[in-house]
Amino acid sequence: MLFLDVISSILLISGVFFGLSGAIGIFKFPDFFTRIHAASITDSIATILIVGGLLLQTSFDLNTVKLIFILVFLMITSPTASHALAKSARHGGLLTMAEAKEKKQEKTG
Amino acid sequence: MYLIKWAILLSMFWLLLSGYIQPLLLSFGAASVAVVLLIIKRMDDIDKEPFQTGTGRQIIQYLPYLTGQIILSSIQVTKLIWRSPVKLEPATAKIKAKDLPRDKRVLYANSITLTPGTLTVDLVDDELTVHALQGSSVDELAEGNMERKIDSIWGNKK
Amino acid sequence: MTTVFAVVCIAILVVMAIALARAFIAPTVYDRIIGINMFGTKTVLFIAAVGFLMGRPEFLDIAIVYALINFIGMVAVLRFFEDTTPVK
């Protein structure tokens, strides 16, 4: 049992590390489209690692199935949500960094 | 028929959430499954292009590959975050996914979004607009490794 | 093991706080939605982890329901902002 505890601690702590990195990323990155990438780290790998760590702590019963369901559901919905967000931002007229720079040059030049 | 598949799936979901095997609660479950199936049937009349997603053996083959990709690119993006000052070369590119059948393009687009560092902004017919943190990851996608992987697992059935 | 769970819970709380801060202080409305979305997914993980910390795995039911509501809410908010004309 101790062996499982060690592995799940490692998974949980590294998951939390990736989560914190993503959280810092959404403040550190310069524009909207790059910030989505930072947020997507916390959505994908942090979720996989934390839920994986919790999975090893269950006694492999109904709770395990519930955790797997949460993992699968988050894995399906998080790319859908970020795609919908990026799409609506782009169609709403938000420019990426390169495009914004071009526009600025056009104005000045 | 797919309605039966849905019925089994929904019953499993009910059992998962309740966890009680008593006649009263099971009958409530059966009633809710029946109502949801009725709604699904009605929704099909509105849905102009229904698609069946192929799940099963193939997805189990695909998941380890996808997980590996997610871990690799997450480490890359985390390195970018902790480096200071932040040096980014964001790029937007259009990628063609001609080889894939129509119903696998969504899977491809979602896989791109799920791997950190790349993001599908738009999907029109067979053209994906991809935004990436680094220009190099767009080049990797354009080489088409992931596309070939999906193609080799599901095959060109259509 | 309890210590690890406690550390994980506190760290997820910190992440949630940062995400909320992003939702309050942001240049565009879409940045705010990123913050809210991240807050929502982290809440699901937080509820699950707290359930294990307190030794009450029934919390997982709440986490499932929260995940469902969070997704529906996100899509509803984005539908509100969506403009379906393609970009030239």
Side-chain angles (χ1 to χ4, degrees):
Chain A
M1 268 293 129
L2 196 67
F3 182 62
L4 275 186
D5 277 0
V6 171
I7 292 181
S8 88
S9 307
I10 294 172
L11 286 180
L12 285 171
I13 298 295
S14 49
V16 158
F17 168 72
F18 278 113
L20 281 173
S21 311
I24 290 167
I26 60 170
F27 264 94
K28 217 171 160 189
F29 278 2
D31 81 325
F32 167 78
F33 285 99
T34 47
R35 276 184 212 124
I36 281 197
H37 293 297
S40 83
I41 301 187
T42 66
D43 277 350
S44 57
I45 190 138
T47 310
I48 292 177
L49 288 174
I50 292 177
V51 175
L54 292 177
L55 268 179
L56 296 179
Q57 288 296 315
T58 57
S59 41
F60 299 98
D61 49 3
L62 196 64
N63 292 327
T64 321
V65 186
K66 279 179 191 166
L67 270 176
I68 292 175
F69 176 79
I70 291 180
L71 181 62
V72 169
F73 187 77
L74 284 179
M75 283 294 103
I76 294 172
T77 57
S78 79
T80 315
S82 19
H83 167 73
L85 186 55
K87 191 180 171 190
S88 69
R90 197 164 169 76
H91 289 185
L94 202 67
L95 296 172
T96 60
M97 248 160 82
E99 285 167 348
K101 215 187 243 170
E102 249 170 46
K103 211 166 195 186
K104 216 176 186 183
Q105 276 173 353
E106 264 173 33
K107 253 185 200 165
T108 53
Chain B
M1 223 169 90
Y2 73 100
L3 275 182
I4 297 169
K5 214 159 123 189
W6 269 112
I8 295 168
L9 206 72
L10 288 168
S11 320
M12 273 169 61
F13 185 52
W14 175 275
L15 282 177
L16 170 70
L17 285 186
S18 84
Y20 290 105
I21 317 272
Q22 288 163 6
L24 177 70
L25 288 167
L26 279 183
S27 63
F28 282 157
S32 1
V33 168
V35 169
V36 174
L37 283 183
L38 203 72
I39 296 174
I40 290 177
K41 192 89 190 58
R42 278 172 57 103
M43 293 281 266
D44 276 347
D45 299 339
I46 306 171
D47 194 356
K48 293 286 189 313
E49 34 178 3
F51 266 123
Q52 303 256 11
T53 40
T55 46
R57 190 167 54 79
Q58 288 103 335
I59 209 107
I60 294 169
Q61 274 183 323
Y62 183 57
L63 277 183
Y65 169 76
L66 186 62
T67 318
Q69 290 294 311
I70 288 174
I71 292 171
L72 283 181
S73 48
S74 301
I75 292 171
Q76 253 177 19
V77 177
T78 314
K79 268 186 200 156
L80 282 177
I81 289 174
W82 287 103
R83 188 188 297 159
S84 68
V86 181
K87 256 198 279 171
L88 295 176
E89 299 156 10
T92 324
K94 286 189 169 29
I95 290 179
K96 290 272 183 190
K98 258 202 187 106
D99 300 339
L100 292 176
R102 282 191 67 191
D103 52 338
K104 292 296 168 291
R105 282 177 203 152
V106 176
L107 181 82
Y108 183 45
N110 262 355
S111 307
I112 291 177
T113 312
L114 197 55
T115 42
T118 49
L119 172 75
T120 316
V121 182
D122 221 337
L123 171 62
V124 181
D125 289 333
D126 64 344
E127 200 178 57
L128 290 88
T129 311
V130 176
H131 182 272
L133 264 189
Q134 281 184 308
S136 57
S137 35
V138 169
D139 298 338
E140 266 171 45
L141 277 179
E143 275 175 32
N145 282 331
M146 190 181 260
E147 194 184 340
R148 270 200 294 280
K149 185 82 186 171
I150 294 176
D151 202 36
S152 72
I153 289 176
W154 271 275
N156 267 322
K157 271 183 239 161
K158 283 189 186 171
Chain C
M1 215 47 224
T2 322
T3 341
V4 175
F5 282 137
V7 170
V8 167
C9 287
I10 293 169
I12 298 177
L13 267 184
V14 172
V15 174
M16 282 163 71
I18 298 175
L20 257 196
R22 181 84 267 180
F24 277 113
I25 319 158
T28 66
V29 67
Y30 301 109
D31 287 298
R32 290 173 204 269
I33 301 177
I34 291 183
I36 295 166
N37 185 25
M38 200 167 149
F39 181 76
T41 42
K42 290 291 100 67
T43 311
V44 176
L45 293 181
F46 178 69
I47 295 173
V50 162
F52 279 88
L53 175 67
M54 295 182 171
R56 291 178 61 186
E58 307 92 71
F59 276 38
L60 287 178
D61 292 334
I62 306 172
I64 290 178
V65 172
Y66 200 93
L68 295 169
I69 292 176
N70 181 44
F71 178 62
I72 305 272
M74 271 303 291
V75 172
V77 169
L78 288 171
R79 279 307 278 192
F80 182 69
F81 285 109
E82 197 181 18
D83 177 7
T84 44
T85 49
V87 178
K88 265 142 220 151

